Amino acid sequence: MTALYHSFTGLDLRAEIDRLRAEKNAVILAHYYQKPELQDIADFVGDSLDLSRKAQATQADVIAFCGVRFMAETAKILSPDKIVVLPDMDAGCSLEDSCPPEQFAAFRAAHPDHIALTYINCSAEVKGLSDVIVTSSSAETILAKLPRDQKIIFGPDRNLGGYLVRKTGRDMLLWPGVCIVHEAFSETELLKLKARHPGAPVAAHPECPAVILDHADYVGSTRGILEFANAMAGDTLIVATEPHIIHQMAKAMPGKRFIGAPGADGNCNCNICPYMALNTMEKLYVALRDLEPRIEIEEGLRLRAKKSLDAMLDMAGGTVGRGDLGPARVTGD
Ligand code: 13P
Ligand code: SF4
């Protein structure tokens, strides 16, 4: 591993990233789906809601966002005076791609009596067309604060939307987007895995389809899944979300065993997010060195998108899961 980092122009990338972080007064934020080396060098590792809060609160001049584009855009919308860099600008998201702003605007126009409750996995344009943004950890809390008779469009994730409809009994109009990563889990393979590990609970992200969620003992955000793993009594957990989260679990709970739920081919490689995987230590180093590629958002659009994000941050309140694993590191902000 270490040798690999030395191979990029002969530099010690870890040391160089540390040097640049201090020199540029930068904070490195990373999502749980990032490669282990990026999670380990980050100042803070979190789920989408926690990363938004960190981006809003940081005193750093530069935010280096190891995640996907909609996450870095959220950081820029909330912290416009900061320089926000994303190591690879092609780090998109299938949910964002499934919801082109012009089609979403037409859908909204066709349902003028509905408000748009929108998953954070979308473009800044779609945020600007929405009333309230939610993350997987805040969606239930926020939905409970909306009047029962309020008509709601929920997009772009039909799996998270469907889960909320089943869980809360609220009727919502669902946009038909999916996460290609969570769609790839196989019910048949999951059942075979459960049979091999009788008694091991299944923790699943709500972006999974209902056939997977039906077998889950716990459904929640990435942070929620980590907290479930921490609190569970047994020593083995089947994890139905992007497998890089297992890095944090293994670090925090070395005595427990975490098994990634399989895709249709019986192994879980097809569940690695191809967008998250674009970020590397080399690209993070270049992003800190050059302060590029940089997220820029036109001010009118930023202000429109900020309204729905502010609504989320207000309404999510102190949404927290059980237990707090805390930041991976606490430097930088
Ligand atoms: P979390 O908010 O649970 O971290 O989810 C983000 C995401 O993109 C999951 O695919
Ligand atoms: Fe998007 Fe799915 Fe990747 Fe999350 S795991 S960033 S929802 S494609």
Side-chain angles (χ1 to χ4, degrees):
M1 250 334 169
T2 307
L4 178 71
Y5 300 149
H6 282 270
S7 72
F8 187 71
T9 61
L11 294 174
D12 179 339
L13 286 176
R14 279 191 203 123
E16 283 299 302
I17 289 168
D18 276 340
R19 181 181 65 75
L20 288 166
R21 162 172 34 208
E23 188 182 300
K24 313 252 170 153
N25 188 26
V27 63
I28 301 172
L29 303 182
H31 189 264
Y32 292 121
Y33 296 168
Q34 289 290 280
K35 292 176 172 49
E37 56 270 27
L38 290 172
Q39 294 188 38
D40 289 347
I41 205 153
D43 297 291
F44 183 81
V45 187
D47 73 358
S48 303
L49 181 64
D50 292 335
L51 290 170
S52 305
R53 286 179 169 142
K54 278 280 163 193
Q56 190 186 37
T58 184
Q59 298 300 311
D61 296 318
V62 175
I63 299 172
F65 212 114
C66 297
V68 290
R69 200 173 47 240
F70 75 81
M71 296 176 175
E73 279 184 355
T74 298
K76 184 68 183 175
I77 292 164
L78 295 172
S79 282
D81 300 334
K82 318 272 179 225
I83 292 170
V84 179
V85 291
L86 179 64
D88 191 318
M89 212 39 108
D90 289 333
C93 170
S94 67
L95 281 167
E96 174 178 345
D97 293 346
S98 76
C99 194
E102 55 294 350
Q103 288 178 24
F104 190 70
F107 190 63
R108 282 224 65 176
H111 301 95
D113 51 346
H114 287 60
I115 64 162
L117 191 64
T118 306
Y119 192 31
I120 198 166
N121 298 36
C122 64
S123 63
E125 288 83 357
V126 167
K127 287 184 176 75
L129 292 165
S130 301
D131 296 292
V132 187
I133 299 301
V134 300
T135 63
S136 48
S137 56
S138 61
E140 269 185 77
T141 305
I142 290 174
L143 191 52
K145 291 184 177 166
L146 298 174
R148 279 305 289 191
D149 57 353
Q150 175 63 61
K151 293 183 177 160
I152 299 170
I153 288 170
F154 186 89
D157 186 4
R158 68 161 185 226
N159 289 334
L160 172 59
Y163 170 73
L164 291 168
V165 168
R166 292 192 301 281
K167 179 111 194 261
T168 67
R170 301 276 295 246
D171 193 20
M172 300 194 289
L173 269 182
L174 304 183
W175 185 268
V178 292
C179 161
I180 52 167
V181 172
H182 290 85
E183 277 285 305
F185 290 115
S186 156
E187 183 187 20
T188 308
E189 295 299 326
L190 178 61
L191 289 175
K192 285 192 212 164
L193 188 66
K194 276 172 69 88
R196 289 202 297 277
H197 300 280
V202 176
H205 197 280
E207 288 174 14
C208 292
V211 287
I212 299 296
L213 297 179
D214 285 349
H215 300 291
D217 300 277
Y218 174 80
V219 177
S221 76
T222 49
R223 183 188 56 184
I225 291 173
L226 269 158
E227 290 168 353
F228 177 81
N230 202 27
M232 73 178 188
D235 62 359
T236 305
L237 178 67
I238 297 173
V239 181
T241 192
E242 213 274 3
H244 283 112
I245 194 175
I246 291 176
H247 176 63
Q248 285 297 324
M249 294 175 169
K251 259 172 59 172
M253 295 157 259
K256 292 182 181 176
R257 183 172 178 209
F258 303 103
I259 307 171
D265 64 353
N267 77 55
C268 63
N269 282 347
C270 50
N271 300 112
I272 289 175
C273 175
Y275 307 101
M276 293 273 184
L278 289 174
N279 293 326
T280 62
M281 290 286 279
E282 287 83 355
K283 291 177 193 172
L284 173 61
Y285 161 71
V286 171
L288 282 169
R289 184 193 65 193
D290 300 350
L291 298 182
E292 296 283 352
R294 214 181 268 206
I295 301 280
E296 303 287 3
I297 300 176
E298 185 273 319
E299 186 60 6
L301 171 60
R302 187 187 76 79
L303 291 173
R304 286 196 300 282
K306 185 172 182 296
K307 270 170 86 172
S308 59
L309 277 167
D310 282 345
M312 170 186 82
L313 292 168
D314 283 352
M315 293 175 79
T319 302
V320 286
R322 283 164 295 163
D324 186 3
L325 293 173
R329 296 172 50 166
V330 287
T331 58
D333 70 346

